[in-house]
Amino acid sequence: MTTRNLDALFHPNAIALIGASNRPGSVGQVLSRNLLESGFSGPVLPVSLTAGAVRSAIAYRSMAELPLVPDLAVIATPAPTVPGLVREAAQAGCRAAIVISAGLDTAQRQEMLDAAKPSLLRILGPNCLGFISPQRGINASFAHFTPPAGGLALVSQSGAVAAAAIDWAHARGIGFSHVLTIGDVADIDFGDLLDYLALDQETRGILLYMESITDARKFMTAGRIAARTKPVVVVKAGRGAAGAKAAFSHSGALSGSDLVYEAAFRRAGMLRVGGLRELFDAVSNLGAGLRVYGDRLAILTNGGGAGVMAADALESRDGRLAELSPETLAKLDAIAPAHWSRGNPVDILGDARAPLYGQALDILLEDPGADAVLVMNCPTAVEGSTAAAEAVVKTLKEKRYHRPVLSAWLGQSAVAEGRLILAAAGVPAHETPDEASRAFMHLVNHRKAQEALIRTPSGLPGEPDHAAAQRVIYAARADGRTALTDPETRAVLRAYGVPVLESQEATTPRQAGEAAHRFGGSVALKILSPDITHKSDIGGVALGLEGAEETEREAGAMLARIAKARPEARLTGLVVEPLVDRPMAQELLVGFARDPLFGPVVTFGAGGVGVEIIADRVIGLPPLDDVLSQDMISRTRIWRMLRGYRDHPPADLGAIVDVLTRVSQIAVEHPEIAELDVNPLLADADGVLALDARMSLAPADAPAPRMAILPYPERLHREAELGDVKITIRAVRPQDGPALAELVKASSAEDVRLRFRSGFRTLPPGWAERLSQIDYDREMALVAEDADHGILGVSRIAGDPQGETAEFALMVRTDRQHLGLGRLLLGEILDYAAAKGLREVWGDVARENAPMLATAKSFGFVRRAAEDFSRVKIVKDLKPGLGVPQAG
């Protein structure tokens, strides 16, 4: 359940306040004041056992006495009374309730939910500050005032934080479309509200204060949809919370950590910030329409020290100073004072006059190497800060620039008017160099997150041997083991195309010596035990052994040493492998674990024995592709070393990306694997090689982990025939973007207009990616392709948040129509919708599109009235066994 009945919360016809009071200082009294004085156009109906009237409104003793049925009930009574009052509200016809009350125990909470369930009444709270919608004149909260109307929606898990945010924003002239506090999250959660606010016309940006989420998949699905339409900025409390104290693998140690939330926000296209001030700064910049296309900043200042501070702050956040072109430097040299900095930051000195600000800014905005410009002013007695601000605004008004401009007017009283002038002109006005640099990097990081949603990745070469990996896992299960041996782990990796070092098992010291002889040269010897994870810690690894005799001798000593150190451990033998000599290689860590909330999470970072101390790791949510894998790699410190330095050539980045993506595929396709660590994975210019790996299985009776993002549905792939033409029907892939653009390009203008209700001849920027990179939990697109002509047609559905209805769309390339392909694709997508459990599929069709209307009629679609006379709404009630209608 997501947005069902949320209209009763956001747009109620009437509001009942249960627990209304006249007692000064009580929650009921504050709620009564706020609701009755906030300007709500509908009736507010107080319900009170003690008062005959509350403020100027007649009070009623129960819901049954109300003269009309309110959509929304606000409940502020002692915890034991809440379940019964929710039942009364539901039976009276209320469709939503805000439960302010705190202190409900587990039994009371469940009783409350059971009371709401029969009528699908939605509950915000309990234990919350309430709900404010300034646009609607609703203040159903005990906040200290009603904030002004604006374009930001704030969703907070903490009422105290929401109250502070309202106060902080009011002092800065920031208004809200809605303020929602979700408290203990019994029903309405972040996913529900993201779904609703994504389509809310009054909301231009969404702010989240979060402590935890309850349904990762719903949150990710709703969050990705919302982030595609408007900025979503989040503050997540609990960064320092410890993850798992002990785990089988290094990856498992990160399960439950804050890094997993970090990965989720990034994958959803959201921007994470550190606090309330950053929250509003970030969304103000994004909401103002500022967009950057790189991370190179030009800085213009009248104070050298301020410029240095801005540059330091930029570098600390992984931004870059723009390298100004010789032409730009020459132009600046012609207008700047003799002793200007002649570089970036551009210091035009403390006695700079206002016109110089405008001239220098004009030059910097034309420089091709600058993605944005930060203008800073330090107050002096030579020229007022207000005049400098006016000069900046005048320059921006005279010309249209494609690069954003930010500002930092340092100080307080002397620069206050200048800041107001800049802000009024749409130039973000900050107080310090650090804040301004941080704001620029918010723009950069948000752009990167948005690009991750729409970029077109490539597929993996070759098909993995899923069956071979499964046989290894089944064998371990049959032995009752959860830890795979070193050779078993290598076999699974090899089945998925991960390069692994060849090795040989030995059960006796003599066999170990014979293996060393066959390999020739130096070898490594390792103990083999399902009970020993970190072998080197107890002397279970020996390196640089030469020949059979030395290897055999060390093998005997190792077995004796381990038996003494760990007498309870099962020793199943030894592993011998050639010693690898790759002096230029970097040691990396690749792996995955199962997070209790988000399911499988993939880890990448610096490897080797010092992995915990170095702590250079990032986390990503599978399924990964080459684009997402490369983004993960680029966010580590070791990335700089992988790009080459001094006499070390760059490592084979493509090979590293390939391994990370393949490890993600293992995590997706084998839910029975609990943890995997490949450490070290050697990487150099010649490629990658896994030297050591550990893998553990989940208990046999453990439920399969629920992925936060659904993987590609291979099961939908099938072959079909249209006459003598063989085609493939499959789900759309992210890499299909260019082929979908070609489908549109190859179709007639009329067919494109009927499908997209637009006169464009080619897909606008970003559309191909949006049509190909879908969320398989909420959407589905089936493509028909042949080997010679690519994608010939597409059918798709986009489901509602409740998972009950979906809108369909269909397009067949113009030169492939009248072959039955449209009927085939429509039947396939309807079969999918029925199997998914959807109740209804509907479409919005142009009235003149007679072929589509005729085809839909043959499938049992019926016409319904549409708001636009030029359109026809067609609806199909789904039944089991639906398929393509038979001829005759």
Side-chain angles (χ1 to χ4, degrees):
M1 184 184 297
T2 50
T3 61
R4 185 191 300 280
N5 284 337
L6 287 190
D7 63 302
L9 173 66
F10 286 90
H11 303 281
N13 67 335
I15 303 173
L17 174 56
I18 307 173
S21 174
N22 292 313
R23 180 165 57 87
S26 67
V27 171
Q29 186 262 341
V30 176
L31 279 165
S32 302
R33 181 198 67 200
N34 285 347
L35 266 172
L36 289 165
E37 296 182 358
S38 57
F40 178 56
S41 59
V44 175
L45 309 170
V47 177
S48 173
L49 292 176
T50 59
V54 174
R55 301 185 78 81
S56 61
I58 297 173
Y60 303 88
R61 293 185 61 81
S62 69
M63 290 287 294
E65 294 183 10
L66 297 182
L68 54 86
V69 176
D71 280 333
L72 176 63
V74 182
I75 301 174
T77 60
T81 67
V82 170
L85 292 171
V86 168
R87 183 174 292 104
E88 285 184 31
Q91 292 173 348
C94 284
R95 295 186 295 122
I98 302 171
V99 180
I100 305 292
S101 313
L104 276 74
D105 60 27
T106 302
Q108 291 165 343
R109 173 186 167 117
Q110 188 57 52
E111 188 181 353
M112 175 187 70
L113 293 174
D114 292 342
K117 187 174 182 179
S119 61
L120 300 178
L121 178 142
R122 304 305 306 275
I123 296 173
L124 186 71
N127 187 25
C128 69
L129 182 74
F131 166 62
I132 306 173
S133 184
Q135 302 274 13
R136 297 280 172 266
I138 300 173
N139 187 346
S141 79
F142 59 97
H144 51 304
F145 69 93
T146 302
L152 301 182
L154 171 64
V155 182
S156 175
Q157 208 159 356
S158 164
V161 169
I166 291 169
D167 195 68
W168 194 93
H170 182 259
R172 287 155 180 80
I174 298 172
F176 295 91
S177 58
H178 313 286
V179 177
L180 302 112
T181 59
I182 59 178
D184 291 342
V185 199
D187 173 26
I188 297 173
D189 61 12
F190 284 108
D192 300 330
L193 295 173
L194 283 168
D195 257 325
Y196 186 92
L197 295 170
L199 300 178
D200 182 50
Q201 297 299 313
E202 296 166 348
T203 297
R204 297 194 309 271
I206 303 172
L207 315 179
L208 306 179
Y209 171 81
M210 176 185 299
E211 294 167 4
S212 63
I213 64 173
T214 53
D215 188 326
R217 181 178 296 176
K218 184 167 73 170
F219 174 79
M220 292 300 293
T221 298
R224 294 168 79 192
I225 290 172
R228 282 190 175 107
T229 61
K230 56 196 68 174
V232 181
V233 185
V234 57
V235 172
K236 165 67 172 66
R239 279 183 181 266
K245 295 298 183 184
F248 176 83
S249 68
H250 303 296
S251 300
L254 297 177
S255 174
S257 73
D258 185 69
L259 287 174
V260 180
Y261 275 97
E262 188 85 45
F265 300 144
R266 191 177 187 90
R267 188 68 182 274
M270 301 176 184
L271 175 64
R272 184 179 187 179
V273 297
L276 288 181
R277 187 176 189 125
E278 274 193 77
L279 190 73
F280 287 103
D281 280 350
V283 83
S284 295
N285 293 337
L286 295 170
L290 298 183
R291 298 291 183 269
V292 296
Y293 299 95
D295 60 357
R296 302 165 302 177
L297 181 67
I299 300 172
L300 173 64
T301 179
N302 69 338
V308 172
M309 286 191 290
D312 286 345
L314 180 68
E315 184 179 6
S316 70
R317 295 179 171 89
D318 296 324
R320 294 184 294 165
L321 283 173
E323 186 173 338
L324 302 180
S325 69
E327 293 79 11
T328 296
L329 293 174
K331 291 178 182 178
L332 290 170
D333 207 31
I335 64 168
H339 300 293
W340 77 283
S341 61
R342 287 183 170 77
N344 188 18
V346 176
D347 179 10
I348 54 177
L349 306 183
D351 59 352
R353 299 291 181 173
L356 182 56
Y357 262 99
Q359 294 171 328
L361 176 60
D362 185 23
I363 294 170
L364 289 175
L365 285 170
E366 297 290 348
D367 189 277
D371 297 303
V373 178
L374 167 61
V375 186
M376 297 196 297
N377 177 268
C378 304
T380 69
V382 176
E383 180 72 285
S385 296
T386 300
E390 290 171 342
V392 168
V393 171
K394 182 174 182 291
T395 298
L396 295 178
K397 285 183 177 180
E398 289 177 349
K399 294 185 179 180
R400 294 178 61 88
Y401 297 99
H402 300 292
R403 296 177 178 87
V405 174
L406 300 92
S407 68
W409 256 228
L410 282 63
Q412 195 60 47
S413 57
V415 298
E417 185 178 354
R419 280 203 205 109
L420 290 175
I421 292 171
L422 291 163
V427 179
H430 301 281
E431 297 180 4
T432 67
D434 182 76
E435 287 180 11
S437 296
R438 183 180 66 194
F440 170 68
M441 290 309 298
H442 285 160
L443 297 175
V444 172
N445 292 329
H446 183 259
R447 174 188 59 83
K448 290 179 179 178
Q450 290 297 297
E451 286 182 349
L453 287 175
I454 64 172
R455 288 183 294 192
T456 301
S458 60
L460 278 173
E463 289 293 327
D465 191 345
H466 183 276
Q470 202 67 55
R471 285 193 295 271
V472 174
I473 294 169
Y474 285 161
R477 280 260 194 259
D479 289 344
R481 292 184 286 117
T482 57
L484 271 65
T485 65
D486 183 273
E488 288 173 332
T489 301
R490 292 175 195 242
V492 173
L493 293 172
R494 194 179 296 112
Y496 275 80
V498 177
V500 297
L501 180 65
E502 294 299 324
S503 64
Q504 187 170 332
E505 288 186 66
T507 57
T508 65
R510 182 173 181 178
Q511 289 179 357
E514 293 170 349
H517 176 73
R518 283 191 292 272
F519 280 126
S522 298
V523 298
L525 181 69
K526 302 176 183 178
I527 198 68
L528 193 58
S529 169
D531 302 319
I532 300 175
T533 299
H534 301 292
K535 298 179 282 290
S536 60
D537 292 351
I538 57 171
V541 177
L543 305 177
L545 302 177
E546 299 285 349
E549 183 177 344
E550 184 179 4
T551 303
E552 182 176 344
R553 184 169 59 253
E554 174 58 27
M558 182 179 290
L559 289 171
R561 185 166 62 245
I562 301 301
K564 183 178 180 181
R566 293 284 301 276
E568 81 288 355
R570 292 167 291 171
L571 303 182
T572 57
L574 302 134
V575 174
V576 182
E577 58 192 36
L579 196 64
V580 177
D581 183 21
R582 296 173 72 162
M584 298 292 187
Q586 300 292 335
E587 291 188 328
L588 305 176
L589 165 71
V590 177
F592 68 83
R594 306 289 175 182
D595 184 79
L597 182 63
F598 288 92
V601 293
V602 178
T603 307
F604 173 82
V609 294
V611 60
E612 287 93 353
I613 298 172
I614 298 172
D616 178 23
R617 289 166 289 183
V618 294
I619 282 179
L621 299 187
L624 298 178
D625 51 48
D626 60 336
V627 172
L628 295 168
S629 295
Q630 184 162 341
D631 178 68
M632 284 182 63
I633 296 167
S634 69
R635 288 186 283 118
T636 58
R637 296 193 301 276
I638 202 170
W639 161 242
R640 299 178 184 179
M641 302 179 73
L642 292 172
R643 288 184 292 176
Y645 61 98
R646 292 190 176 179
D647 62 336
H648 285 62
D652 186 344
L653 177 61
I656 303 171
V657 167
D658 186 72
V659 168
L660 188 53
T661 308
R662 291 180 186 277
V663 166
S664 161
Q665 192 174 9
I666 296 173
V668 169
E669 296 185 359
H670 295 280
E672 62 273 26
I673 301 177
E675 298 178 32
L676 166 66
D677 256 7
V678 180
N679 180 33
L681 175 75
L682 295 186
D684 57 20
D686 296 323
V688 296
L689 185 65
L691 294 193
D692 200 2
R694 293 188 297 277
M695 184 180 293
S696 71
L697 305 179
D701 57 352
R706 191 170 188 263
M707 295 189 64
I709 302 173
L710 286 184
Y712 180 77
E714 292 280 1
R715 69 186 186 281
L716 299 179
H717 185 286
R718 79 175 188 88
E719 305 299 323
E721 293 186 2
L722 283 176
D724 58 352
V725 179
K726 293 184 178 180
I727 62 172
T728 298
I729 306 292
R730 60 169 176 81
V732 72
R733 296 190 182 103
Q735 55 265 37
D736 286 330
L740 293 178
E742 283 299 316
L743 167 67
V744 172
K745 187 177 179 180
S747 298
S748 69
E750 178 65 6
D751 283 344
V752 174
R753 183 186 69 82
L754 291 174
R755 166 62 181 89
F756 294 103
R757 302 177 68 174
S758 173
F760 57 68
R761 289 297 295 118
T762 59
L763 288 178
W767 279 46
E769 291 83 356
R770 176 63 186 91
L771 293 172
S772 62
Q773 298 194 29
I774 65 174
D775 192 316
Y776 298 117
D777 189 42
R778 185 77 61 82
E779 305 170 78
M780 182 52 64
L782 299 177
V783 302
E785 65 178 356
D786 69 17
D788 298 325
H789 301 93
I791 293 178
L792 307 178
V794 187
S795 60
R796 67 175 64 235
I797 58 170
D800 68 0
Q802 284 71 247
E804 292 196 352
T805 69
E807 181 181 8
F808 87 92
L810 178 67
M811 183 174 186
V812 176
R813 210 171 79 178
T814 303
D815 62 351
R816 289 297 185 270
Q817 295 176 5
H818 311 298
L819 300 175
L821 183 57
R823 293 176 60 82
L824 175 62
L825 282 169
L826 182 56
E828 292 281 342
I829 202 68
L830 291 175
D831 278 343
Y832 172 84
K836 188 174 175 63
L838 293 174
R839 175 176 54 82
E840 178 184 279
V841 169
W842 62 277
D844 181 47
V845 183
R847 189 173 293 275
E848 70 266 30
N849 193 351
M852 182 70 254
L853 292 173
T855 300
K857 183 178 180 181
S858 72
F859 277 87
F861 281 84
V862 297
R863 296 192 182 198
R864 293 186 182 167
E867 294 182 2
D868 185 349
F869 181 76
S870 67
R871 314 292 298 178
V872 176
K873 184 174 183 179
I874 55 175
V875 180
K876 169 67 181 175
D877 292 327
L878 296 180
K879 296 178 175 61
L882 179 67
V884 178
Q886 298 299 311

